[in-house]
Amino acid sequence: MADFGFCKKLKNFDDLTQTSLGSPLYMAPEVLNGDVYDSKADVWSVGIVLYEMLFGRCPYGDCNIKQLINVYSADKLRIQMATENIFISPSTENMLRRML
């Protein structure tokens, strides 16, 4: 899953970049903060998409960039499956937590 209009080719797997393009809800915290980042930021974005596919909503709600930065730094990922009658396996939950 990608929007290759925003794609940036890196020479090596461990190269860093600071380009900030895309939808804020899918950006890793380091991207939102304007810090350098690596390919792990893509894992974050895929984790957001996976969460949305499983639960039908973004894990951090509809926020502006400033609110997202505050939520990321203050909040631990909350997965409230039982209240939504959605159940995922423990390994899927573990994967989501590691991605996000």
Side-chain angles (χ1 to χ4, degrees):
M1 283 178 256
D3 180 345
F4 292 109
F6 292 146
C7 185
K8 181 175 184 178
K9 185 173 182 176
L10 302 176
K11 292 182 182 185
N12 298 304
F13 180 76
D14 57 351
D15 283 351
L16 302 175
T17 187
Q18 283 184 291
T19 306
S20 180
L21 297 169
S23 301
L25 283 175
Y26 300 92
M27 290 181 183
E30 57 269 35
V31 178
L32 283 175
N33 284 323
D35 299 332
V36 294
Y37 59 92
D38 59 17
S39 59
K40 292 177 185 176
D42 294 330
V43 174
W44 173 278
S45 298
V46 172
I48 296 288
V49 171
L50 177 60
Y51 189 100
E52 283 188 307
M53 290 170 61
L54 292 168
F55 297 102
R57 62 178 175 79
C58 181
Y60 299 104
D62 293 326
C63 301
N64 63 40
I65 292 175
K66 185 176 180 181
Q67 290 170 325
L68 279 172
I69 291 170
N70 290 335
V71 168
Y72 290 164
S73 56
D75 247 350
K76 184 178 177 185
L77 177 65
R78 293 185 191 146
I79 300 177
Q80 299 175 345
M81 297 172 290
T83 60
E84 299 176 23
N85 293 320
I86 298 171
F87 300 96
I88 59 174
S89 70
S91 61
T92 301
E93 180 179 353
N94 181 48
M95 180 177 66
L96 273 176
R97 291 189 183 283
R98 293 179 66 204
M99 293 173 87
L100 302 175

Coordinates of all heavy atoms in Angstrom, one line a residue:
M1 N 0.8 -1.2 0.0 CA 0.0 0.0 0.0 C 0.9 1.2 0.0 O 1.7 1.4 0.9 CB -0.8 0.0 1.3 CG -2.0 -0.9 1.2 SD -2.9 -0.8 2.8 CE -2.3 -2.3 3.5
A2 N 0.7 2.0 -1.0 CA 1.5 3.3 -1.1 C 0.9 4.2 -2.1 O 0.3 3.8 -3.0 CB 3.0 2.9 -1.4
D3 N 1.2 5.5 -1.9 CA 0.9 6.5 -2.8 C 2.3 6.9 -3.4 O 3.0 7.6 -2.8 CB 0.2 7.7 -2.2 CG -0.1 8.8 -3.2 OD1 0.5 8.7 -4.3 OD2 -0.9 9.7 -2.9
F4 N 2.7 6.3 -4.5 CA 4.0 6.5 -5.1 C 4.2 8.0 -5.5 O 5.3 8.3 -5.9 CB 4.3 5.5 -6.1 CG 4.4 4.1 -5.6 CD1 3.4 3.2 -5.8 CD2 5.5 3.8 -4.8 CE1 3.5 1.9 -5.3 CE2 5.6 2.5 -4.2 CZ 4.6 1.6 -4.5
G5 N 3.2 8.8 -5.5 CA 3.4 10.2 -5.8 C 4.2 10.9 -4.7 O 4.9 11.9 -4.9
F6 N 4.2 10.3 -3.5 CA 4.9 10.8 -2.4 C 6.2 10.0 -2.1 O 6.9 10.2 -1.1 CB 4.1 10.7 -1.1 CG 2.9 11.7 -1.1 CD1 1.7 11.3 -0.5 CD2 3.0 12.9 -1.7 CE1 0.7 12.2 -0.5 CE2 2.0 13.8 -1.7 CZ 0.8 13.5 -1.1
C7 N 6.5 9.0 -2.9 CA 7.6 8.1 -2.7 C 8.9 8.8 -2.9 O 9.1 9.7 -3.7 CB 7.5 7.0 -3.8 SG 8.7 5.7 -3.6
K8 N 9.9 8.4 -2.0 CA 11.2 9.0 -2.1 C 12.2 7.8 -2.0 O 12.2 7.0 -1.1 CB 11.5 9.9 -0.9 CG 12.8 10.5 -0.9 CD 13.0 11.6 0.2 CE 14.3 12.2 0.1 NZ 14.4 13.3 1.1
K9 N 13.0 7.7 -3.0 CA 14.0 6.6 -3.1 C 15.2 6.8 -2.1 O 15.8 7.9 -2.2 CB 14.4 6.3 -4.5 CG 15.3 5.1 -4.6 CD 15.6 4.8 -6.1 CE 16.5 3.6 -6.2 NZ 16.8 3.2 -7.5
L10 N 15.5 5.9 -1.3 CA 16.6 5.9 -0.4 C 17.7 5.0 -1.0 O 17.3 3.9 -1.5 CB 16.3 5.6 1.0 CG 15.2 6.4 1.7 CD1 14.8 5.9 3.1 CD2 15.6 7.9 1.7
K11 N 18.9 5.3 -0.9 CA 20.0 4.5 -1.4 C 20.2 3.2 -0.6 O 20.5 2.2 -1.2 CB 21.3 5.3 -1.6 CG 21.2 6.4 -2.6 CD 22.5 7.1 -2.7 CE 22.3 8.2 -3.8 NZ 23.5 8.9 -4.0
N12 N 20.1 3.4 0.7 CA 20.4 2.2 1.6 C 19.2 2.1 2.5 O 18.5 3.0 2.9 CB 21.7 2.4 2.4 CG 22.9 2.5 1.5 OD1 23.2 1.7 0.7 ND2 23.6 3.6 1.6
F13 N 19.0 0.8 3.0 CA 17.9 0.5 4.0 C 18.0 1.4 5.2 O 16.9 1.8 5.7 CB 18.0 -0.9 4.4 CG 16.9 -1.3 5.3 CD1 15.6 -1.5 4.8 CD2 17.1 -1.5 6.6 CE1 14.5 -1.8 5.7 CE2 16.1 -1.8 7.5 CZ 14.8 -2.0 7.0
D14 N 19.2 1.8 5.7 CA 19.3 2.5 6.9 C 19.4 4.0 6.7 O 19.8 4.8 7.6 CB 20.4 2.0 7.8 CG 21.7 2.0 7.1 OD1 21.8 2.2 5.9 OD2 22.7 1.7 7.8
D15 N 19.2 4.5 5.5 CA 19.3 5.9 5.2 C 18.1 6.7 5.9 O 17.1 6.1 6.2 CB 19.1 6.2 3.7 CG 20.4 5.9 2.9 OD1 21.4 5.7 3.6 OD2 20.3 5.9 1.7
L16 N 18.4 7.9 6.2 CA 17.4 8.8 6.9 C 17.0 9.9 6.0 O 17.7 10.3 5.1 CB 18.1 9.4 8.2 CG 18.6 8.4 9.2 CD1 19.3 9.2 10.3 CD2 17.5 7.5 9.8
T17 N 15.8 10.4 6.3 CA 15.2 11.5 5.5 C 14.4 12.4 6.4 O 14.1 12.0 7.5 CB 14.4 11.0 4.3 OG1 14.0 12.1 3.5 CG2 13.2 10.2 4.7
Q18 N 14.0 13.6 5.9 CA 13.2 14.5 6.7 C 12.0 15.0 5.9 O 11.3 15.9 6.3 CB 14.0 15.7 7.2 CG 14.9 15.4 8.4 CD 15.6 16.6 8.9 OE1 16.4 17.1 8.2 NE2 15.2 17.1 10.1
T19 N 11.7 14.5 4.7 CA 10.6 14.9 3.9 C 9.3 14.7 4.6 O 9.1 13.6 5.2 CB 10.6 14.1 2.6 OG1 11.9 14.2 2.0 CG2 9.5 14.6 1.6
S20 N 8.4 15.6 4.6 CA 7.1 15.5 5.2 C 6.0 15.7 4.2 O 5.6 16.8 4.0 CB 7.0 16.5 6.4 OG 5.7 16.4 7.0
L21 N 5.5 14.6 3.7 CA 4.4 14.6 2.7 C 3.4 13.5 3.1 O 3.8 12.5 3.7 CB 4.9 14.3 1.3 CG 5.8 15.3 0.7 CD1 6.4 14.7 -0.6 CD2 5.2 16.6 0.4
G22 N 2.1 13.8 2.9 CA 1.1 12.8 3.2 C 0.1 13.2 4.1 O 0.0 14.4 4.5
S23 N -0.7 12.3 4.6 CA -1.8 12.6 5.5 C -1.3 12.5 7.0 O -0.8 11.4 7.4 CB -3.0 11.6 5.3 OG -3.4 11.7 4.0
P24 N -1.5 13.5 7.8 CA -1.0 13.5 9.2 C -1.4 12.3 10.0 O -0.7 11.8 10.8 CB -1.5 14.8 9.8 CG -1.7 15.7 8.6 CD -2.1 14.8 7.5
L25 N -2.7 11.8 9.8 CA -3.1 10.7 10.6 C -2.3 9.4 10.4 O -2.3 8.5 11.2 CB -4.6 10.4 10.3 CG -5.6 11.3 11.0 CD1 -7.0 11.0 10.5 CD2 -5.6 11.3 12.5
Y26 N -1.6 9.3 9.3 CA -0.8 8.1 8.9 C 0.6 8.3 9.1 O 1.4 7.4 8.9 CB -1.1 7.7 7.5 CG -2.6 7.4 7.3 CD1 -3.5 8.4 6.9 CD2 -3.1 6.1 7.6 CE1 -4.8 8.1 6.7 CE2 -4.5 5.9 7.5 CZ -5.3 6.9 7.0 OH -6.6 6.6 6.9
M27 N 1.0 9.5 9.6 CA 2.5 9.8 9.8 C 3.0 9.4 11.2 O 2.3 9.6 12.2 CB 2.7 11.3 9.7 CG 2.5 11.9 8.3 SD 2.9 13.6 8.3 CE 2.5 14.0 6.6
A28 N 4.1 8.8 11.2 CA 4.8 8.4 12.4 C 5.1 9.6 13.2 O 5.3 10.7 12.7 CB 6.0 7.6 12.1
P29 N 5.2 9.5 14.5 CA 5.5 10.7 15.4 C 6.8 11.4 15.0 O 6.8 12.7 15.0 CB 5.7 10.1 16.8 CG 4.9 8.8 16.7 CD 5.0 8.3 15.3
E30 N 7.8 10.7 14.6 CA 9.1 11.4 14.2 C 8.9 12.2 12.9 O 9.5 13.3 12.7 CB 10.2 10.4 14.0 CG 10.0 9.3 13.0 CD 9.4 8.0 13.7 OE1 8.6 8.1 14.6 OE2 9.8 6.9 13.2
V31 N 8.0 11.8 12.0 CA 7.7 12.6 10.8 C 6.9 13.8 11.2 O 7.3 14.9 10.7 CB 6.9 11.7 9.8 CG1 6.6 12.5 8.6 CG2 7.7 10.5 9.4
L32 N 5.9 13.7 12.0 CA 5.1 14.8 12.5 C 6.0 15.9 13.2 O 5.8 17.1 13.1 CB 4.0 14.4 13.4 CG 2.8 13.8 12.7 CD1 1.8 13.3 13.8 CD2 2.1 14.8 11.8
N33 N 7.0 15.4 13.9 CA 7.8 16.3 14.7 C 8.9 17.0 13.8 O 9.6 17.8 14.3 CB 8.5 15.5 15.8 CG 7.6 15.3 17.0 OD1 6.8 16.1 17.3 ND2 7.7 14.1 17.6
G34 N 9.0 16.5 12.6 CA 10.0 17.1 11.7 C 11.4 16.5 12.0 O 12.4 17.1 11.5
D35 N 11.5 15.4 12.7 CA 12.8 14.7 13.0 C 13.2 13.9 11.8 O 12.4 13.6 10.9 CB 12.6 13.9 14.2 CG 12.3 14.7 15.5 OD1 12.6 15.9 15.5 OD2 11.6 14.1 16.3
V36 N 14.4 13.4 11.8 CA 14.8 12.5 10.8 C 14.2 11.2 11.1 O 13.8 10.8 12.2 CB 16.4 12.3 10.7 CG1 17.0 13.6 10.3 CG2 16.9 11.8 12.0
Y37 N 13.9 10.4 10.0 CA 13.3 9.1 10.2 C 13.8 8.1 9.2 O 14.5 8.5 8.2 CB 11.7 9.2 10.1 CG 11.3 9.8 8.8 CD1 10.9 8.9 7.7 CD2 11.1 11.1 8.6 CE1 10.5 9.4 6.5 CE2 10.7 11.6 7.4 CZ 10.4 10.8 6.4 OH 9.9 11.3 5.1
D38 N 13.5 6.8 9.4 CA 13.9 5.8 8.5 C 12.7 4.9 8.1 O 11.6 5.4 8.2 CB 15.0 4.9 9.2 CG 14.6 4.3 10.5 OD1 13.4 4.2 10.7 OD2 15.5 3.9 11.3
S39 N 13.0 3.8 7.6 CA 11.9 2.9 7.1 C 10.9 2.5 8.1 O 9.8 2.0 7.8 CB 12.5 1.7 6.3 OG 13.3 1.0 7.2
K40 N 11.3 2.6 9.4 CA 10.3 2.2 10.5 C 9.1 3.1 10.5 O 8.0 2.7 10.9 CB 11.0 2.3 11.8 CG 12.1 1.2 12.0 CD 12.8 1.4 13.3 CE 13.9 0.4 13.4 NZ 14.7 0.6 14.7
A41 N 9.2 4.3 9.9 CA 8.0 5.2 9.8 C 7.0 4.6 8.9 O 5.8 4.8 9.1 CB 8.5 6.6 9.3
D42 N 7.4 3.8 7.9 CA 6.5 3.1 7.0 C 5.7 2.0 7.8 O 4.6 1.8 7.5 CB 7.2 2.6 5.8 CG 7.8 3.7 4.9 OD1 7.2 4.8 4.9 OD2 8.8 3.4 4.3
V43 N 6.4 1.3 8.7 CA 5.8 0.3 9.5 C 4.7 0.9 10.3 O 3.6 0.4 10.5 CB 6.8 -0.4 10.4 CG1 6.1 -1.4 11.3 CG2 7.8 -1.1 9.5
W44 N 4.9 2.1 10.9 CA 3.9 2.8 11.7 C 2.7 3.1 10.8 O 1.5 2.8 11.2 CB 4.5 4.2 12.2 CG 3.5 5.0 12.8 CD1 2.6 5.9 12.2 CD2 3.2 5.2 14.2 NE1 1.8 6.5 13.1 CE2 2.1 6.1 14.3 CE3 3.7 4.6 15.3 CZ2 1.6 6.5 15.6 CZ3 3.2 5.0 16.6 CH2 2.2 5.9 16.7
S45 N 2.9 3.6 9.6 CA 1.8 3.9 8.7 C 1.0 2.7 8.3 O -0.3 2.7 8.3 CB 2.3 4.6 7.4 OG 2.9 5.8 7.7
V46 N 1.6 1.6 8.1 CA 0.9 0.3 7.8 C 0.2 -0.2 9.0 O -0.9 -0.7 8.9 CB 1.9 -0.8 7.3 CG1 1.2 -2.1 7.2 CG2 2.5 -0.4 5.9
G47 N 0.7 0.1 10.2 CA 0.0 -0.3 11.4 C -1.3 0.5 11.6 O -2.3 0.0 12.0
I48 N -1.2 1.8 11.2 CA -2.4 2.6 11.3 C -3.5 2.1 10.3 O -4.7 1.9 10.7 CB -2.1 4.1 10.9 CG1 -1.2 4.7 12.0 CG2 -3.4 4.9 10.8 CD1 -1.8 5.0 13.3
V49 N -3.1 1.7 9.1 CA -4.0 1.2 8.1 C -4.6 -0.2 8.6 O -5.8 -0.4 8.5 CB -3.3 1.0 6.8 CG1 -4.2 0.2 5.8 CG2 -3.0 2.4 6.2
L50 N -3.7 -1.0 9.2 CA -4.2 -2.3 9.7 C -5.2 -2.1 10.8 O -6.2 -2.8 10.9 CB -3.0 -3.1 10.2 CG -3.4 -4.5 10.9 CD1 -4.1 -5.4 9.9 CD2 -2.1 -5.2 11.4
Y51 N -4.9 -1.2 11.7 CA -5.8 -0.9 12.8 C -7.2 -0.4 12.3 O -8.2 -0.9 12.7 CB -5.3 0.2 13.7 CG -6.0 0.5 15.0 CD1 -5.6 -0.1 16.2 CD2 -7.2 1.2 15.0 CE1 -6.3 0.2 17.4 CE2 -7.9 1.5 16.1 CZ -7.5 0.9 17.3 OH -8.2 1.1 18.5
E52 N -7.2 0.4 11.3 CA -8.4 0.9 10.6 C -9.2 -0.2 10.0 O -10.4 -0.3 10.0 CB -8.1 2.0 9.6 CG -7.9 3.3 10.2 CD -7.8 4.4 9.2 OE1 -7.0 4.3 8.3 OE2 -8.5 5.4 9.4
M53 N -8.4 -1.2 9.3 CA -9.1 -2.3 8.7 C -9.8 -3.2 9.7 O -10.8 -3.7 9.5 CB -8.0 -3.1 7.9 CG -7.6 -2.4 6.7 SD -6.1 -3.2 5.9 CE -6.8 -4.7 5.4
L54 N -9.2 -3.3 10.9 CA -9.7 -4.2 11.9 C -10.9 -3.6 12.7 O -11.8 -4.2 13.0 CB -8.6 -4.6 12.9 CG -7.5 -5.5 12.4 CD1 -6.4 -5.6 13.3 CD2 -8.1 -6.9 12.1
F55 N -10.7 -2.3 13.0 CA -11.7 -1.6 13.9 C -12.6 -0.5 13.2 O -13.5 0.0 13.8 CB -10.9 -1.0 15.1 CG -10.2 -2.0 15.9 CD1 -8.9 -2.1 15.8 CD2 -10.9 -2.8 16.8 CE1 -8.2 -3.1 16.6 CE2 -10.3 -3.7 17.6 CZ -8.9 -3.9 17.4
G56 N -12.3 -0.2 12.0 CA -13.1 0.7 11.2 C -12.9 2.2 11.6 O -13.7 3.0 11.3
R57 N -11.8 2.5 12.3 CA -11.5 3.9 12.7 C -10.0 4.0 13.0 O -9.3 3.0 13.2 CB -12.3 4.3 13.9 CG -12.0 3.5 15.2 CD -12.8 3.9 16.4 NE -12.5 3.1 17.5 CZ -11.5 3.1 18.3 NH1 -10.5 3.9 18.1 NH2 -11.3 2.2 19.3
C58 N -9.6 5.2 13.0 CA -8.2 5.5 13.3 C -7.9 5.3 14.8 O -8.8 5.7 15.6 CB -7.8 6.9 12.8 SG -6.1 7.4 13.1
P59 N -6.8 4.8 15.2 CA -6.6 4.6 16.6 C -6.4 5.8 17.4 O -6.6 5.9 18.6 CB -5.3 3.8 16.6 CG -4.6 4.0 15.4 CD -5.7 4.2 14.4
Y60 N -6.1 7.0 16.7 CA -5.9 8.2 17.5 C -6.9 9.3 17.1 O -6.7 10.4 17.5 CB -4.5 8.7 17.2 CG -3.4 7.7 17.7 CD1 -2.7 6.9 16.7 CD2 -3.2 7.5 19.0 CE1 -1.8 6.0 17.2 CE2 -2.3 6.6 19.4 CZ -1.6 5.8 18.5 OH -0.7 4.9 19.0
G61 N -8.0 8.9 16.5 CA -9.1 9.8 16.2 C -8.7 10.9 15.2 O -7.7 10.9 14.6
D62 N -9.7 11.8 15.0 CA -9.5 12.9 14.0 C -8.9 14.1 14.8 O -9.5 14.7 15.5 CB -10.8 13.3 13.4 CG -11.4 12.2 12.5 OD1 -10.6 11.5 11.9 OD2 -12.6 12.1 12.4
C63 N -7.6 14.3 14.5 CA -6.9 15.3 15.2 C -6.1 16.2 14.2 O -5.8 15.7 13.1 CB -5.8 14.8 16.2 SG -6.5 13.7 17.5
N64 N -5.8 17.4 14.6 CA -4.9 18.2 13.8 C -3.5 17.8 14.2 O -3.3 17.0 15.1 CB -5.1 19.7 14.0 CG -4.9 20.2 15.4 OD1 -3.9 19.8 16.1 ND2 -5.7 21.1 15.9
I65 N -2.5 18.3 13.5 CA -1.1 17.9 13.7 C -0.6 18.1 15.2 O -0.1 17.2 15.8 CB -0.1 18.6 12.7 CG1 -0.4 18.0 11.3 CG2 1.3 18.3 13.1 CD1 0.4 18.7 10.2
K66 N -0.9 19.3 15.7 CA -0.5 19.6 17.1 C -1.2 18.6 18.1 O -0.5 18.1 19.0 CB -0.9 21.0 17.5 CG -0.4 21.4 18.8 CD -0.7 22.9 19.1 CE -0.2 23.3 20.5 NZ -0.5 24.6 20.8
Q67 N -2.5 18.3 17.9 CA -3.1 17.3 18.8 C -2.5 15.9 18.6 O -2.4 15.2 19.6 CB -4.6 17.3 18.5 CG -5.4 18.5 18.9 CD -6.8 18.5 18.3 OE1 -7.1 18.1 17.2 NE2 -7.7 19.1 19.1
L68 N -2.2 15.5 17.4 CA -1.6 14.2 17.2 C -0.3 14.1 17.9 O 0.0 13.1 18.5 CB -1.4 14.0 15.7 CG -2.6 13.5 14.9 CD1 -2.3 13.5 13.4 CD2 -3.1 12.1 15.4
I69 N 0.6 15.1 17.8 CA 1.9 15.1 18.5 C 1.7 14.9 20.0 O 2.3 14.1 20.6 CB 2.7 16.4 18.2 CG1 3.1 16.3 16.7 CG2 3.9 16.5 19.1 CD1 3.7 17.6 16.2
N70 N 0.7 15.7 20.6 CA 0.4 15.5 22.0 C -0.1 14.2 22.3 O 0.3 13.6 23.4 CB -0.6 16.6 22.4 CG 0.0 18.0 22.4 OD1 1.2 18.2 22.5 ND2 -0.9 19.0 22.3
V71 N -1.0 13.6 21.5 CA -1.6 12.3 21.8 C -0.4 11.2 21.7 O -0.4 10.4 22.6 CB -2.7 12.0 20.8 CG1 -3.0 10.5 20.8 CG2 -3.9 12.8 21.0
Y72 N 0.4 11.3 20.7 CA 1.5 10.3 20.6 C 2.4 10.4 21.7 O 2.9 9.3 22.2 CB 2.3 10.6 19.3 CG 1.6 10.3 18.0 CD1 2.1 10.8 16.8 CD2 0.4 9.6 17.9 CE1 1.4 10.6 15.6 CE2 -0.3 9.3 16.8 CZ 0.3 9.8 15.6 OH -0.4 9.6 14.4
S73 N 2.7 11.6 22.3 CA 3.7 11.6 23.4 C 3.1 11.3 24.7 O 3.8 10.9 25.6 CB 4.4 13.0 23.4 OG 3.4 14.0 23.5
A74 N 1.7 11.4 24.8 CA 1.1 11.3 26.1 C 0.4 9.9 26.2 O 0.1 9.4 27.3 CB 0.1 12.4 26.4
D75 N 0.0 9.4 25.1 CA -0.9 8.2 25.2 C -0.2 6.9 24.8 O 0.6 6.9 23.8 CB -2.1 8.4 24.2 CG -3.4 8.6 24.9 OD1 -3.5 8.3 26.1 OD2 -4.4 9.0 24.2
K76 N -0.6 5.9 25.4 CA -0.3 4.5 25.0 C -1.4 4.0 24.1 O -2.6 4.4 24.4 CB -0.1 3.6 26.2 CG 0.4 2.2 25.9 CD 0.5 1.4 27.2 CE 0.9 0.0 26.9 NZ 1.0 -0.8 28.0
L77 N -1.1 3.2 23.2 CA -2.2 2.7 22.3 C -3.2 2.0 23.1 O -2.9 1.1 23.8 CB -1.5 1.8 21.2 CG -2.5 1.1 20.2 CD1 -3.2 2.2 19.4 CD2 -1.8 0.1 19.4
R78 N -4.5 2.4 22.9 CA -5.6 1.7 23.6 C -6.4 0.9 22.5 O -6.8 1.4 21.6 CB -6.5 2.7 24.2 CG -5.9 3.5 25.3 CD -6.8 4.4 26.0 NE -6.1 5.3 26.9 CZ -6.4 6.5 27.1 NH1 -7.4 7.1 26.6 NH2 -5.6 7.2 28.0
I79 N -6.5 -0.4 22.8 CA -7.2 -1.3 22.0 C -8.4 -1.7 22.8 O -8.3 -2.5 23.7 CB -6.4 -2.5 21.5 CG1 -5.2 -1.9 20.7 CG2 -7.2 -3.4 20.6 CD1 -4.3 -3.0 20.2
Q80 N -9.6 -1.2 22.5 CA -10.8 -1.5 23.2 C -11.7 -2.4 22.4 O -12.7 -2.0 21.9 CB -11.5 -0.2 23.6 CG -10.7 0.7 24.4 CD -11.4 2.0 24.6 OE1 -12.4 2.4 24.0 NE2 -10.9 2.8 25.6
M81 N -11.3 -3.7 22.3 CA -12.0 -4.6 21.5 C -13.3 -5.1 22.1 O -14.3 -5.1 21.4 CB -11.1 -5.8 21.3 CG -9.9 -5.5 20.5 SD -8.7 -6.9 20.4 CE -8.2 -7.0 22.1
A82 N -13.3 -5.4 23.4 CA -14.5 -5.9 24.0 C -15.7 -5.0 23.9 O -16.9 -5.4 23.7 CB -14.3 -6.3 25.4
T83 N -15.5 -3.7 24.1 CA -16.6 -2.7 24.1 C -17.1 -2.5 22.7 O -18.2 -2.0 22.5 CB -16.1 -1.3 24.6 OG1 -15.0 -0.9 23.8 CG2 -15.7 -1.5 26.1
E84 N -16.3 -2.9 21.7 CA -16.8 -2.8 20.3 C -17.2 -4.1 19.7 O -17.5 -4.1 18.5 CB -15.6 -2.1 19.5 CG -15.2 -0.8 19.9 CD -14.0 -0.2 19.2 OE1 -13.8 -0.7 18.0 OE2 -13.4 0.6 19.7
N85 N -17.2 -5.1 20.5 CA -17.5 -6.5 20.0 C -16.6 -6.9 18.8 O -17.1 -7.5 17.9 CB -19.0 -6.6 19.6 CG -19.9 -6.5 20.9 OD1 -19.5 -7.0 21.9 ND2 -21.0 -5.8 20.8
I86 N -15.4 -6.5 18.9 CA -14.4 -6.9 17.9 C -13.3 -7.6 18.6 O -12.8 -7.1 19.6 CB -13.8 -5.6 17.1 CG1 -14.9 -4.9 16.4 CG2 -12.7 -6.0 16.2 CD1 -14.5 -3.5 15.9
F87 N -13.0 -8.8 18.1 CA -12.0 -9.6 18.8 C -10.9 -9.9 17.8 O -11.1 -10.4 16.6 CB -12.6 -10.9 19.3 CG -13.7 -10.5 20.3 CD1 -15.0 -10.5 19.9 CD2 -13.4 -10.3 21.6 CE1 -16.0 -10.2 20.9 CE2 -14.3 -9.9 22.6 CZ -15.7 -9.9 22.2
I88 N -9.6 -9.7 18.2 CA -8.5 -10.1 17.4 C -7.6 -11.1 18.3 O -7.7 -11.1 19.5 CB -7.7 -8.9 17.0 CG1 -7.2 -8.1 18.1 CG2 -8.5 -8.0 16.0 CD1 -6.2 -6.9 17.8
S89 N -6.8 -11.8 17.6 CA -5.9 -12.7 18.4 C -4.9 -12.0 19.2 O -4.5 -10.8 18.8 CB -5.2 -13.7 17.4 OG -4.3 -13.0 16.6
P90 N -4.4 -12.6 20.2 CA -3.3 -12.0 21.0 C -2.1 -11.6 20.1 O -1.4 -10.6 20.3 CB -2.9 -13.0 22.0 CG -4.2 -13.8 22.2 CD -4.8 -13.8 20.8
S91 N -1.8 -12.5 19.1 CA -0.6 -12.2 18.3 C -0.9 -11.0 17.4 O 0.1 -10.2 17.1 CB -0.2 -13.4 17.4 OG -1.3 -13.8 16.6
T92 N -2.1 -10.8 16.9 CA -2.4 -9.6 16.1 C -2.3 -8.4 17.0 O -1.8 -7.3 16.6 CB -3.8 -9.8 15.5 OG1 -3.9 -10.9 14.7 CG2 -4.2 -8.5 14.7
E93 N -2.8 -8.4 18.2 CA -2.7 -7.3 19.1 C -1.3 -7.0 19.4 O -0.9 -5.8 19.4 CB -3.5 -7.6 20.4 CG -3.4 -6.4 21.4 CD -4.1 -6.6 22.7 OE1 -4.8 -7.6 22.9 OE2 -4.0 -5.7 23.6
N94 N -0.5 -8.0 19.6 CA 1.0 -7.8 19.9 C 1.6 -7.1 18.7 O 2.4 -6.2 18.8 CB 1.6 -9.1 20.2 CG 3.1 -8.9 20.5 OD1 3.5 -8.0 21.2 ND2 3.9 -9.7 19.8
M95 N 1.3 -7.6 17.5 CA 1.8 -7.0 16.3 C 1.4 -5.5 16.1 O 2.3 -4.7 15.8 CB 1.4 -7.7 15.0 CG 1.9 -7.2 13.7 SD 1.5 -8.1 12.3 CE -0.3 -7.9 12.2
L96 N 0.2 -5.2 16.4 CA -0.3 -3.8 16.3 C 0.5 -2.9 17.3 O 0.9 -1.8 17.0 CB -1.8 -3.7 16.6 CG -2.7 -3.9 15.5 CD1 -4.2 -3.8 16.0 CD2 -2.5 -2.8 14.4
R97 N 0.6 -3.4 18.5 CA 1.4 -2.6 19.5 C 2.8 -2.4 19.1 O 3.4 -1.3 19.4 CB 1.3 -3.3 20.9 CG -0.1 -3.3 21.5 CD -0.2 -3.8 22.9 NE -1.5 -3.8 23.4 CZ -2.2 -2.7 23.7 NH1 -1.7 -1.5 23.7 NH2 -3.5 -2.8 24.2
R98 N 3.4 -3.4 18.5 CA 4.8 -3.2 18.1 C 4.9 -2.3 16.9 O 5.9 -1.6 16.8 CB 5.4 -4.6 17.8 CG 5.6 -5.5 19.0 CD 6.1 -6.8 18.8 NE 7.5 -6.7 18.3 CZ 8.1 -7.6 17.6 NH1 7.5 -8.7 17.3 NH2 9.4 -7.4 17.2
M99 N 3.9 -2.3 16.0 CA 4.0 -1.4 14.9 C 3.7 0.0 15.3 O 4.3 1.0 14.7 CB 2.9 -1.8 13.9 CG 3.2 -3.1 13.2 SD 1.9 -3.7 12.2 CE 2.3 -2.9 10.6
L100 N 2.9 0.2 16.3 CA 2.5 1.6 16.7 C 3.1 1.9 18.1 O 2.7 2.9 18.7 CB 0.9 1.7 16.8 CG 0.2 1.4 15.5 CD1 -1.3 1.4 15.7 CD2 0.6 2.4 14.4

